[in-house]
């Protein structure tokens, strides 16, 4: 289940009850970084039946025990940062070009063709960047085989033992890059064995196919959405957009259309506080307060009868 932000108006407990979850729930708060252990409110909200997997702390312990792996991991992260920087430079130019094209006066059919070509170039750049990230990750895994190293294997064994007795895994938000990093370091996706996953904010982003960073009106000036990396793909075919109340200009039809066309056929779902939607066997259901962004620049609440079929972007 994907949910909206939980900080001020938590709905996680109600969602767990709605799903009939009766038993221990593993929690992942690694996105909170050094505040990972400050989960008493979450523990209380879920009926004092949570077990925090402490992925952030476990990573620190593993790296202290294995300096070679730590150094290699830091080098990998540095490569990813460089890749992100160069991607961002190219992306800014492509987005600027798209903006200029949309302002030009031309016969409608020509303008439509050129705008489609511009969006196609942005999509190709996004896919290229995702491919570069995957290449860096696969090279690291092949060279270091972290799951086979004692420093990581010990923690994975402990995590697997904890998960064996749980009915669900609750993945909180926070710093999405840190969260995704820790989820991947310990291979959490591969350790899930029938547990229901409840994820909100950055947690929802991390379990999708791709992680998209976005803010239409950041303090430093005009914002540009950018792809960060592949997600865990536990929930496929959507781009979760948490905190739309403060991060998206949903009244700007051009921005909405560009977002929807850029990531189609995946469906862009704005997830405000209190929102939730289930995902089971490749299908979505039981939507509440979820908004779907469409390629025509509109946004509308997802209805229980909606199939959330993908849209063609061009």
């Amino acid at each position: 289940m994907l949910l909206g932000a939980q900080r001020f108006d938590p709905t996680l407990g109600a969602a767990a009850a709605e799903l009939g979850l009766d038993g221990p729930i593993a929690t992942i708060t690694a996105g909170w970084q050094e505040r990972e252990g400050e989960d008493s409110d979450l523990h209380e909200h879920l009926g004092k039946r949570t077990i925090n997997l402490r992925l952030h702390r476990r990573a620190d312990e593993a790296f202290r025990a294995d300096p070679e792996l730590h150094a290699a991991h830091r080098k990998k992260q540095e490569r990813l940062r460089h890749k992100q920087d160069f991607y961002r430079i190219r992306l800014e130019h492509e987005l600027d070009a798209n903006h200029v094209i949309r302002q030009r006066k031309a016969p409608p059919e020509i303008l439509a063709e050129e705008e489609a070509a511009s969006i196609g170039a942005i999509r190709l750049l996004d896919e290229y960047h995702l491919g570069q990230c995957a290449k860096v990750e696969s090279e690291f895994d092949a060279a270091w085989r972290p799951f086979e190293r004692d420093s990581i294997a010990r923690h994975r064994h402990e995590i697997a033992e904890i998960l064996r007795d749980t009915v669900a895994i609750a993945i909180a938000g926070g710093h999405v890059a840190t969260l995704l990093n820790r989820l991947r370091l310990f291979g959490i996706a591969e350790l899930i064995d029938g547990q229901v996953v409840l994820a909100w904010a950055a947690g929802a982003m991390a379990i999708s196919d791709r992680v998209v960073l976005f803010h239409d009106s950041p303090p430093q000036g005009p914002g540009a959405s950018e792809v960060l990396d592949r997600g865990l793909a536990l929930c496929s075919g959507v781009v979760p957009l948490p905190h739309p109340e403060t991060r998206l200009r949903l009244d700007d039809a051009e921005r909405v259309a560009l977002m929807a066309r850029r990531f189609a056929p995946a469906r862009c779902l704005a997830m405000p506080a209190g929102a939730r939607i289930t995902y089971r066997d490749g299908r979505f259901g039981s939507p509440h307060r979820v908004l779907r962004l469409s390629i025509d620049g509109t946004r509308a609440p997802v209805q229980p009868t909606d199939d959330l079929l993908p849209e063609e972007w061009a």
Side-chain angles (χ1 to χ4, degrees):
M1 176 180 281
L2 304 179
L3 301 103
Q6 297 293 303
R7 183 176 181 184
F8 298 112
D9 185 21
T11 57
L12 183 62
E18 179 183 305
L19 294 173
L21 300 178
D22 184 17
I25 297 176
T27 58
I28 296 174
T29 57
W32 300 353
Q33 300 174 308
E34 291 77 12
R35 295 177 47 250
E36 176 182 55
E38 299 177 18
D39 61 347
S40 57
D41 288 345
L42 178 59
H43 184 63
E44 290 282 342
H45 180 69
L46 289 176
K48 298 182 179 180
R49 54 188 172 127
T50 67
I51 307 167
N52 197 318
L53 296 183
R54 298 282 197 265
L55 298 189
H56 197 271
R57 187 198 68 189
R58 289 179 184 276
D60 288 345
E61 291 178 0
F63 289 147
R64 280 196 298 269
D66 194 340
E68 287 186 343
L69 180 65
H70 189 198
H73 188 269
R74 290 177 63 181
K75 185 176 180 180
K76 180 201 73 169
Q77 293 303 113
E78 184 67 19
R79 287 187 66 195
L80 289 172
R81 280 191 288 272
H82 283 304
K83 292 290 185 181
Q84 194 74 25
D85 286 342
F86 283 108
Y87 158 72
R88 190 178 295 120
I89 291 169
R90 297 172 63 191
L91 178 63
E92 288 175 357
H93 285 283
E94 293 290 357
L95 290 173
D96 285 344
N98 179 263
H99 177 73
V100 171
I101 288 170
R102 284 189 280 109
Q103 309 310 311
R104 287 297 179 94
K105 303 297 183 183
E109 66 276 9
I110 294 178
L111 188 59
E113 289 175 357
E114 295 304 321
E115 186 178 359
S118 174
I119 293 175
I122 297 170
R123 289 166 59 92
L124 284 174
L125 178 57
D126 288 341
E127 290 303 317
Y128 171 79
H129 178 60
L130 286 175
Q132 289 293 295
C133 292
K135 181 173 181 287
V136 171
E137 293 285 354
S138 64
E139 288 175 351
F140 171 79
D141 289 342
W144 291 93
R145 300 182 181 276
F147 294 172
E148 298 176 14
R149 299 177 75 89
D150 290 343
S151 55
I152 299 296
R154 175 176 67 85
H155 287 288
R156 294 192 81 232
H157 176 74
E158 291 177 1
I159 292 169
E161 288 294 312
I162 293 171
L163 292 180
R164 187 170 291 117
D165 297 322
T166 62
V167 297
I169 303 172
I171 306 177
H175 192 285
V176 67
T178 298
L179 174 60
L180 183 61
N181 179 290
R182 293 333 189 227
L183 290 169
R184 188 169 284 151
L185 179 65
F186 293 107
I188 296 301
E190 293 82 1
L191 294 177
I192 295 173
D193 185 20
Q195 294 89 355
V196 172
V197 176
L198 305 111
W200 61 97
M205 297 166 71
I207 69 169
S208 65
D209 297 306
R210 74 188 95 183
V211 176
V212 177
L213 307 180
F214 64 98
H215 200 315
D216 285 347
S217 304
Q220 67 270 24
S225 301
E226 60 185 80
V227 172
L228 175 68
D229 201 346
R230 298 167 301 132
L232 300 189
L234 299 179
C235 181
S236 297
V238 296
V239 178
L241 304 170
H243 306 289
E245 309 95 318
T246 57
R247 291 177 173 268
L248 286 177
R249 286 159 48 185
L250 293 175
D251 57 344
D252 188 328
E254 287 190 356
R255 281 183 173 270
V256 170
L258 177 59
M259 178 79 80
R261 294 181 72 185
R262 180 177 170 185
F263 299 115
R267 289 80 94 197
C268 292
L269 300 182
M271 305 282 296
R276 66 178 183 273
I277 190 167
T278 60
Y279 178 81
R280 183 181 292 111
D281 299 326
R283 298 184 66 84
F284 293 90
S286 305
H288 178 69
R289 297 193 64 192
V290 179
L291 298 174
R292 176 178 179 171
L293 279 56
S294 296
I295 62 172
D296 62 1
T298 62
R299 85 280 190 193
V302 178
Q303 302 297 329
T305 55
D306 290 349
D307 286 330
L308 283 182
L309 296 174
E311 290 183 299
E312 294 296 329
W313 67 274

